[in-house]
Amino acid sequence: MNDVPVVVRVRQETMEWYWNKIPFVLAVLCDAQCVVVRTNLLFRQESGYEDATLMGRPLADIIIDCDLGAAAWETPASEHRVRLRTKDEELLEMELMAMPIEIGDTRHYLALLHQVGAIQQSGLMQQFALTLLRDESMGVILLHANFRVNAISPLACKVLGVAKEEVQGKSMDELFIHAPLEHQLLKQMIVEEQPVRNHPFRWSMDYEQRELLMDANLLRDRQGRLLGAYVTFKDVSNLRSLEEQVQRSDRLAMIGQIAAGTAHEIRNPLTAIKGFLQMFKNTMKEKGLNKEYGYTEIMLTEIDRINELVSEFLLLSKPKNITVDLIDPAAVMSEIMPIIQNEALLHGIVVDYRLPEVLPRIVADREMLKQVFLNIGKNGIEAMKEGGVLTISGGVEREQGLPRSVCIDIQDNGPGIEAGILDRIFDPFVTTKSTGTGLGLSVCQRIIHDMGGLIRISTGSGGSTFTVSIPCSIEEREALG
């Protein structure tokens, strides 16, 4: 049985609208004698021909290895393997789909060409591009050849503080008005045609802070014609945090080794001094030397401070005699809440306890974890000089639907931490207190790091939030997954 020719009928205005919107394919429109009457932009870009040199030219001069007589078009949507001769006499392997078409009352033939496998590849590339635009850790901006916004991803909108609907079609100058350094780099890229690679910058909004790397470059077709440009932002906050954590752990380990080696050399003479002072203290009390008795009290108090400082030094080395077990962090926090409540009461602070009664279990040392929570809680209470609220909350971070980490948030509404101190807040001897040693948070960071977790901090004029994040145990992940 012979195939019945199928003729596609379209109106002239429909053809005009659709012509340059045909995706991924090279389109050629011929008259009834197979003479070229029209080509789309992609065809001219790929072949290198000017529009004027194509009009009135037999299609067989450009597409070879195929019989393109009128009879060949009568099989509906027939496909052929052909070669396209470019302006530079290069032969490109193509797949051709040919069909008869009537525009108004006039018979034409439409040839649609694409490189072998290009349709599948284009679909894959399009899906890849859409995935990038939806990725929350990757910011993407696509610009037209006139450097106006074609597409922008959610992260890029956050970084630049704009709404997607507001910037669509806006110029690059308008888009980067609040990022002058990055704007200057992009202008330099356009003028000098030099790509931007791994430009680091920090973005912060409210309590959120991220470390980003920016890349940018121009987009050109095979003939070198400018198609537009792209700008990408890669979120490397976790990587930077990991690098800083490793560096900090190395410093703490070095200090801990020094402390462990010298602690007994300090404590031995302190013990002797303290013993004799206690004898002098008793003697002075018996002889009624009240003024001298008071001096010995002060000296003994200061010796106790030195001993406490030495003890904190020793905690900077890897803790010994750790008792690791499967524990419920919510139960640990509830055990120390009376201590935190009493401390808060002394400072006129209200404690808002919002932690769930049960959280996934973690592998940790119960006493060490208590020390971390108490230290951070006490810091939050002391940060609020004129009263306030200490909020303790938490939850579970999930990855692909499975529980990954337990997070405990301890938030104060004090003045926040200065930007100059924030980057060094976990370093030894860095403190915001007039009488602090600057070792408490270093010790906390070391303890949590040894448990495989981390401590994050976000701060602003409305206070600071310390988030203790510890991985869930494998048993809990399997049970709750």
Side-chain angles (χ1 to χ4, degrees):
M1 182 177 178
N2 296 328
D3 289 326
V4 178
V6 177
V7 179
V8 179
R9 293 176 173 84
V10 296
R11 294 183 299 171
Q12 182 67 40
E13 54 268 30
T14 303
M15 194 68 181
E16 290 295 330
W17 181 87
Y18 187 67
W19 185 248
N20 280 313
K21 294 182 173 61
I22 302 174
F24 312 127
V25 294
L26 290 64
V28 185
L29 188 65
C30 303
D31 62 15
Q33 287 72 43
C34 290
V35 172
V36 176
V37 296
R38 191 171 190 179
T39 60
N40 72 344
L41 178 62
L42 186 57
F43 183 92
R44 296 192 295 274
Q45 288 176 344
E46 291 293 322
S47 66
Y49 291 109
E50 299 293 335
D51 196 37
T53 61
L54 289 169
M55 296 305 100
R57 188 169 178 176
L59 188 60
D61 289 353
I62 306 166
I63 298 177
I64 60 177
D65 294 344
C66 182
D67 178 13
L68 292 174
W73 302 84
E74 297 305 321
T75 302
S78 57
E79 293 189 4
H80 310 273
R81 183 67 62 89
V82 299
R83 286 186 292 172
L84 171 66
R85 181 186 286 120
T86 68
K87 181 181 178 181
D88 299 327
E89 298 297 324
E90 182 184 358
L91 297 177
L92 303 179
E93 293 286 338
M94 293 279 174
E95 290 179 350
L96 177 144
M97 183 173 71
M99 65 179 72
I101 185 171
E102 282 190 4
I103 303 174
D105 296 326
T106 307
R107 172 64 68 93
H108 291 81
Y109 296 106
L110 179 63
L112 301 175
L113 301 100
H114 59 83
Q115 291 186 346
V116 177
I119 293 293
Q120 291 83 353
Q121 184 180 9
S122 296
L124 179 63
M125 291 300 294
Q126 186 180 35
Q127 187 59 44
F128 175 68
L130 290 173
T131 302
L132 281 183
L133 286 169
R134 290 192 295 261
D135 193 339
E136 293 185 358
S137 64
M138 174 74 77
V140 181
I141 303 172
L142 294 179
L143 303 172
H144 288 294
N146 59 1
F147 300 106
R148 290 187 174 274
V149 178
N150 174 271
I152 185 168
S153 70
L155 177 59
C157 289
K158 281 186 179 181
V159 170
L160 298 173
V162 298
K164 182 177 180 180
E165 298 76 16
E166 295 175 359
V167 298
Q168 201 74 31
K170 296 286 187 181
S171 69
M172 184 182 74
D173 297 338
E174 294 173 283
L175 184 62
F176 284 86
I177 191 170
H178 298 301
L181 178 58
E182 286 68 38
H183 183 213
Q184 186 63 34
L185 284 171
L186 294 176
K187 289 174 70 175
Q188 185 176 342
M189 172 200 73
I190 294 169
V191 174
E192 299 180 4
E193 299 192 5
Q194 292 295 324
V196 178
R197 290 284 183 262
N198 294 328
H199 166 66
F201 69 101
R202 177 173 292 170
W203 166 72
S204 58
M205 181 176 290
D206 298 329
Y207 292 110
E208 189 175 6
Q209 181 171 290
R210 296 193 186 188
E211 298 283 345
L212 302 167
L213 293 178
M214 184 181 84
D215 288 353
N217 203 356
L218 301 176
L219 295 171
R220 296 185 180 276
D221 62 16
R222 291 183 180 179
Q223 285 72 40
R225 288 185 290 262
L226 181 66
L227 298 177
Y230 70 86
V231 182
T232 63
F233 303 100
K234 290 177 285 188
D235 188 349
V236 293
S237 303
N238 290 337
L239 181 61
R240 289 288 173 87
S241 176
L242 182 60
E243 289 175 353
E244 291 172 1
Q245 199 170 348
V246 171
Q247 292 171 1
R248 190 177 294 114
S249 294
D250 290 342
R251 290 197 298 271
L252 292 179
M254 182 180 65
I255 294 172
Q257 289 171 4
I258 295 171
T262 59
H264 73 281
E265 299 294 341
I266 297 172
R267 277 182 164 167
N268 286 343
L270 282 178
T271 302
I273 293 170
K274 185 175 181 179
F276 284 115
L277 276 175
Q278 286 172 335
M279 290 174 57
F280 292 155
K281 175 183 169 184
N282 294 333
T283 302
M284 290 172 185
K285 186 177 181 181
E286 291 172 0
K287 294 186 175 183
L289 300 173
N290 296 328
K291 187 175 180 181
E292 289 77 5
Y293 177 83
Y295 292 156
T296 57
E297 284 279 356
I298 294 172
M299 286 187 283
L300 287 169
T301 301
E302 292 305 307
I303 287 173
D304 288 338
R305 279 190 63 205
I306 295 173
N307 268 319
E308 289 175 6
L309 185 60
V310 171
S311 298
E312 289 189 0
F313 266 127
L314 288 173
L315 283 172
L316 290 175
S317 59
K318 192 174 179 66
K320 303 297 190 294
N321 302 321
I322 293 179
T323 306
V324 175
D325 199 0
L326 274 174
I327 61 173
D328 178 2
V332 173
M333 181 62 81
S334 65
E335 289 174 13
I336 63 169
M337 277 308 297
I339 302 174
I340 294 178
Q341 291 277 15
N342 289 337
E343 186 76 18
L345 188 63
L346 291 173
H347 289 78
I349 304 298
V350 176
V351 177
D352 183 7
Y353 188 77
R354 304 179 183 177
L355 205 64
E357 292 185 5
V358 178
L359 287 169
R361 291 182 299 172
I362 58 176
V363 178
D365 183 291
R366 179 181 292 271
E367 297 306 315
M368 289 291 181
L369 199 58
K370 286 181 181 180
Q371 180 182 338
V372 171
F373 291 153
L374 280 171
N375 195 306
I376 296 176
K378 184 179 178 182
N379 285 350
I381 290 170
E382 293 176 352
M384 295 179 279
K385 305 293 185 185
E386 300 177 358
V389 179
L390 184 75
T391 304
I392 299 174
S393 59
V396 181
E397 283 187 352
R398 293 183 174 271
E399 184 175 20
Q400 296 180 349
L402 299 176
R404 184 182 68 177
S405 301
V406 173
C407 295
I408 307 294
D409 296 325
I410 301 176
Q411 179 182 3
D412 64 69
N413 53 8
I417 300 171
E418 296 177 8
I421 297 179
L422 185 60
D423 290 341
R424 302 181 293 113
I425 195 67
F426 293 109
D427 289 350
F429 313 114
V430 174
T431 181
T432 59
K433 305 175 188 175
S434 58
T435 59
T437 62
L439 293 173
L441 285 178
S442 298
V443 172
C444 291
Q445 179 82 338
R446 180 59 187 266
I447 291 172
I448 297 301
H449 181 258
D450 288 342
M451 295 178 187
L454 55 90
I455 303 178
R456 299 190 299 267
I457 178 172
S458 59
T459 188
S461 59
S464 302
T465 301
F466 283 81
T467 301
V468 179
S469 179
I470 306 174
C472 299
S473 66
I474 296 175
E475 292 87 344
E476 291 291 286
R477 291 184 189 182
E478 293 175 350
L480 298 175

PDB file of all heavy atoms in Angstrom, residues 84-101:
ATOM      1  N   LEU A  84      25.930  18.756   4.566  1.00  0.00           N
ATOM      2  CA  LEU A  84      25.696  20.172   4.295  1.00  0.00           C
ATOM      3  C   LEU A  84      27.023  20.820   3.913  1.00  0.00           C
ATOM      4  O   LEU A  84      27.996  20.746   4.660  1.00  0.00           O
ATOM      5  CB  LEU A  84      25.111  20.851   5.548  1.00  0.00           C
ATOM      6  CG  LEU A  84      24.995  22.377   5.501  1.00  0.00           C
ATOM      7  CD1 LEU A  84      23.983  22.812   4.446  1.00  0.00           C
ATOM      8  CD2 LEU A  84      24.612  22.931   6.871  1.00  0.00           C
ATOM      9  N   ARG A  85      27.033  21.435   2.717  1.00  0.00           N
ATOM     10  CA  ARG A  85      28.236  22.118   2.260  1.00  0.00           C
ATOM     11  C   ARG A  85      28.213  23.558   2.786  1.00  0.00           C
ATOM     12  O   ARG A  85      27.310  24.332   2.466  1.00  0.00           O
ATOM     13  CB  ARG A  85      28.324  22.126   0.739  1.00  0.00           C
ATOM     14  CG  ARG A  85      29.584  22.819   0.219  1.00  0.00           C
ATOM     15  CD  ARG A  85      29.589  22.958  -1.299  1.00  0.00           C
ATOM     16  NE  ARG A  85      29.860  21.676  -1.943  1.00  0.00           N
ATOM     17  CZ  ARG A  85      29.035  21.063  -2.779  1.00  0.00           C
ATOM     18  NH1 ARG A  85      27.849  21.615  -3.051  1.00  0.00           N
ATOM     19  NH2 ARG A  85      29.368  19.925  -3.349  1.00  0.00           N
ATOM     20  N   THR A  86      29.187  23.920   3.615  1.00  0.00           N
ATOM     21  CA  THR A  86      29.232  25.255   4.186  1.00  0.00           C
ATOM     22  C   THR A  86      29.879  26.235   3.210  1.00  0.00           C
ATOM     23  O   THR A  86      30.400  25.846   2.154  1.00  0.00           O
ATOM     24  CB  THR A  86      30.027  25.271   5.496  1.00  0.00           C
ATOM     25  OG1 THR A  86      31.416  25.026   5.216  1.00  0.00           O
ATOM     26  CG2 THR A  86      29.504  24.222   6.473  1.00  0.00           C
ATOM     27  N   LYS A  87      29.867  27.493   3.568  1.00  0.00           N
ATOM     28  CA  LYS A  87      30.487  28.529   2.744  1.00  0.00           C
ATOM     29  C   LYS A  87      31.984  28.259   2.567  1.00  0.00           C
ATOM     30  O   LYS A  87      32.568  28.567   1.521  1.00  0.00           O
ATOM     31  CB  LYS A  87      30.261  29.895   3.396  1.00  0.00           C
ATOM     32  CG  LYS A  87      30.845  31.058   2.618  1.00  0.00           C
ATOM     33  CD  LYS A  87      30.603  32.367   3.347  1.00  0.00           C
ATOM     34  CE  LYS A  87      31.225  33.538   2.600  1.00  0.00           C
ATOM     35  NZ  LYS A  87      31.014  34.823   3.315  1.00  0.00           N
ATOM     36  N   ASP A  88      32.618  27.654   3.588  1.00  0.00           N
ATOM     37  CA  ASP A  88      34.046  27.364   3.540  1.00  0.00           C
ATOM     38  C   ASP A  88      34.332  25.996   2.924  1.00  0.00           C
ATOM     39  O   ASP A  88      35.443  25.464   3.086  1.00  0.00           O
ATOM     40  CB  ASP A  88      34.625  27.419   4.957  1.00  0.00           C
ATOM     41  CG  ASP A  88      34.472  28.798   5.582  1.00  0.00           C
ATOM     42  OD1 ASP A  88      34.529  29.794   4.831  1.00  0.00           O
ATOM     43  OD2 ASP A  88      34.274  28.871   6.815  1.00  0.00           O
ATOM     44  N   GLU A  89      33.338  25.406   2.242  1.00  0.00           N
ATOM     45  CA  GLU A  89      33.454  24.109   1.586  1.00  0.00           C
ATOM     46  C   GLU A  89      33.648  22.959   2.570  1.00  0.00           C
ATOM     47  O   GLU A  89      34.069  21.871   2.185  1.00  0.00           O
ATOM     48  CB  GLU A  89      34.604  24.107   0.563  1.00  0.00           C
ATOM     49  CG  GLU A  89      34.434  25.086  -0.581  1.00  0.00           C
ATOM     50  CD  GLU A  89      33.191  24.756  -1.441  1.00  0.00           C
ATOM     51  OE1 GLU A  89      32.895  23.555  -1.621  1.00  0.00           O
ATOM     52  OE2 GLU A  89      32.539  25.697  -1.917  1.00  0.00           O
ATOM     53  N   GLU A  90      33.333  23.184   3.797  1.00  0.00           N
ATOM     54  CA  GLU A  90      33.359  22.101   4.772  1.00  0.00           C
ATOM     55  C   GLU A  90      32.071  21.310   4.655  1.00  0.00           C
ATOM     56  O   GLU A  90      30.994  21.871   4.437  1.00  0.00           O
ATOM     57  CB  GLU A  90      33.496  22.676   6.190  1.00  0.00           C
ATOM     58  CG  GLU A  90      33.588  21.615   7.270  1.00  0.00           C
ATOM     59  CD  GLU A  90      33.625  22.212   8.669  1.00  0.00           C
ATOM     60  OE1 GLU A  90      33.612  23.460   8.784  1.00  0.00           O
ATOM     61  OE2 GLU A  90      33.655  21.424   9.649  1.00  0.00           O
ATOM     62  N   LEU A  91      32.172  19.975   4.807  1.00  0.00           N
ATOM     63  CA  LEU A  91      31.002  19.109   4.714  1.00  0.00           C
ATOM     64  C   LEU A  91      30.623  18.634   6.111  1.00  0.00           C
ATOM     65  O   LEU A  91      31.406  17.972   6.792  1.00  0.00           O
ATOM     66  CB  LEU A  91      31.283  17.916   3.800  1.00  0.00           C
ATOM     67  CG  LEU A  91      31.585  18.258   2.336  1.00  0.00           C
ATOM     68  CD1 LEU A  91      31.916  16.999   1.543  1.00  0.00           C
ATOM     69  CD2 LEU A  91      30.398  18.987   1.700  1.00  0.00           C
ATOM     70  N   LEU A  92      29.400  18.996   6.522  1.00  0.00           N
ATOM     71  CA  LEU A  92      28.906  18.623   7.852  1.00  0.00           C
ATOM     72  C   LEU A  92      27.903  17.494   7.737  1.00  0.00           C
ATOM     73  O   LEU A  92      26.946  17.576   6.958  1.00  0.00           O
ATOM     74  CB  LEU A  92      28.248  19.833   8.529  1.00  0.00           C
ATOM     75  CG  LEU A  92      29.100  21.097   8.696  1.00  0.00           C
ATOM     76  CD1 LEU A  92      28.264  22.194   9.360  1.00  0.00           C
ATOM     77  CD2 LEU A  92      30.342  20.809   9.512  1.00  0.00           C
ATOM     78  N   GLU A  93      28.127  16.418   8.511  1.00  0.00           N
ATOM     79  CA  GLU A  93      27.182  15.304   8.535  1.00  0.00           C
ATOM     80  C   GLU A  93      25.876  15.751   9.193  1.00  0.00           C
ATOM     81  O   GLU A  93      25.878  16.278  10.309  1.00  0.00           O
ATOM     82  CB  GLU A  93      27.776  14.128   9.307  1.00  0.00           C
ATOM     83  CG  GLU A  93      28.970  13.474   8.652  1.00  0.00           C
ATOM     84  CD  GLU A  93      28.579  12.630   7.446  1.00  0.00           C
ATOM     85  OE1 GLU A  93      27.391  12.229   7.380  1.00  0.00           O
ATOM     86  OE2 GLU A  93      29.440  12.384   6.588  1.00  0.00           O
ATOM     87  N   MET A  94      24.754  15.541   8.483  1.00  0.00           N
ATOM     88  CA  MET A  94      23.456  15.995   8.963  1.00  0.00           C
ATOM     89  C   MET A  94      22.398  14.913   8.774  1.00  0.00           C
ATOM     90  O   MET A  94      22.547  14.017   7.933  1.00  0.00           O
ATOM     91  CB  MET A  94      23.015  17.257   8.198  1.00  0.00           C
ATOM     92  CG  MET A  94      23.848  18.493   8.460  1.00  0.00           C
ATOM     93  SD  MET A  94      23.332  19.261  10.000  1.00  0.00           S
ATOM     94  CE  MET A  94      24.568  20.561  10.158  1.00  0.00           C
ATOM     95  N   GLU A  95      21.364  15.023   9.576  1.00  0.00           N
ATOM     96  CA  GLU A  95      20.143  14.252   9.354  1.00  0.00           C
ATOM     97  C   GLU A  95      19.074  15.227   8.888  1.00  0.00           C
ATOM     98  O   GLU A  95      18.888  16.293   9.491  1.00  0.00           O
ATOM     99  CB  GLU A  95      19.714  13.533  10.634  1.00  0.00           C
ATOM    100  CG  GLU A  95      20.652  12.404  11.018  1.00  0.00           C
ATOM    101  CD  GLU A  95      20.232  11.700  12.301  1.00  0.00           C
ATOM    102  OE1 GLU A  95      19.310  12.227  12.969  1.00  0.00           O
ATOM    103  OE2 GLU A  95      20.813  10.663  12.627  1.00  0.00           O
ATOM    104  N   LEU A  96      18.374  14.866   7.815  1.00  0.00           N
ATOM    105  CA  LEU A  96      17.395  15.762   7.203  1.00  0.00           C
ATOM    106  C   LEU A  96      16.010  15.146   7.271  1.00  0.00           C
ATOM    107  O   LEU A  96      15.826  13.959   6.981  1.00  0.00           O
ATOM    108  CB  LEU A  96      17.781  16.059   5.752  1.00  0.00           C
ATOM    109  CG  LEU A  96      16.815  16.929   4.933  1.00  0.00           C
ATOM    110  CD1 LEU A  96      17.592  17.833   3.989  1.00  0.00           C
ATOM    111  CD2 LEU A  96      15.813  16.098   4.144  1.00  0.00           C
ATOM    112  N   MET A  97      15.047  15.949   7.682  1.00  0.00           N
ATOM    113  CA  MET A  97      13.641  15.548   7.632  1.00  0.00           C
ATOM    114  C   MET A  97      12.953  16.484   6.642  1.00  0.00           C
ATOM    115  O   MET A  97      13.019  17.710   6.786  1.00  0.00           O
ATOM    116  CB  MET A  97      12.991  15.655   9.000  1.00  0.00           C
ATOM    117  CG  MET A  97      11.534  15.163   9.004  1.00  0.00           C
ATOM    118  SD  MET A  97      10.820  15.084  10.666  1.00  0.00           S
ATOM    119  CE  MET A  97      10.664  16.829  11.026  1.00  0.00           C
ATOM    120  N   ALA A  98      12.344  15.901   5.624  1.00  0.00           N
ATOM    121  CA  ALA A  98      11.729  16.694   4.551  1.00  0.00           C
ATOM    122  C   ALA A  98      10.225  16.501   4.562  1.00  0.00           C
ATOM    123  O   ALA A  98       9.723  15.406   4.851  1.00  0.00           O
ATOM    124  CB  ALA A  98      12.296  16.267   3.194  1.00  0.00           C
ATOM    125  N   MET A  99       9.492  17.581   4.271  1.00  0.00           N
ATOM    126  CA  MET A  99       8.027  17.472   4.235  1.00  0.00           C
ATOM    127  C   MET A  99       7.457  18.536   3.310  1.00  0.00           C
ATOM    128  O   MET A  99       8.016  19.643   3.189  1.00  0.00           O
ATOM    129  CB  MET A  99       7.451  17.652   5.640  1.00  0.00           C
ATOM    130  CG  MET A  99       7.653  19.034   6.240  1.00  0.00           C
ATOM    131  SD  MET A  99       6.926  19.172   7.884  1.00  0.00           S
ATOM    132  CE  MET A  99       8.077  18.173   8.798  1.00  0.00           C
ATOM    133  N   PRO A 100       6.343  18.214   2.637  1.00  0.00           N
ATOM    134  CA  PRO A 100       5.649  19.237   1.853  1.00  0.00           C
ATOM    135  C   PRO A 100       4.843  20.143   2.771  1.00  0.00           C
ATOM    136  O   PRO A 100       4.342  19.708   3.817  1.00  0.00           O
ATOM    137  CB  PRO A 100       4.731  18.412   0.948  1.00  0.00           C
ATOM    138  CG  PRO A 100       4.488  17.144   1.694  1.00  0.00           C
ATOM    139  CD  PRO A 100       5.720  16.881   2.501  1.00  0.00           C
ATOM    140  N   ILE A 101       4.728  21.406   2.416  1.00  0.00           N
ATOM    141  CA  ILE A 101       4.033  22.374   3.253  1.00  0.00           C
ATOM    142  C   ILE A 101       3.352  23.403   2.366  1.00  0.00           C
ATOM    143  O   ILE A 101       3.903  23.802   1.329  1.00  0.00           O
ATOM    144  CB  ILE A 101       5.031  23.046   4.235  1.00  0.00           C
ATOM    145  CG1 ILE A 101       4.299  23.981   5.201  1.00  0.00           C
ATOM    146  CG2 ILE A 101       6.137  23.763   3.510  1.00  0.00           C
ATOM    147  CD1 ILE A 101       5.188  24.490   6.323  1.00  0.00           C
TER     148      ILE A 101
END
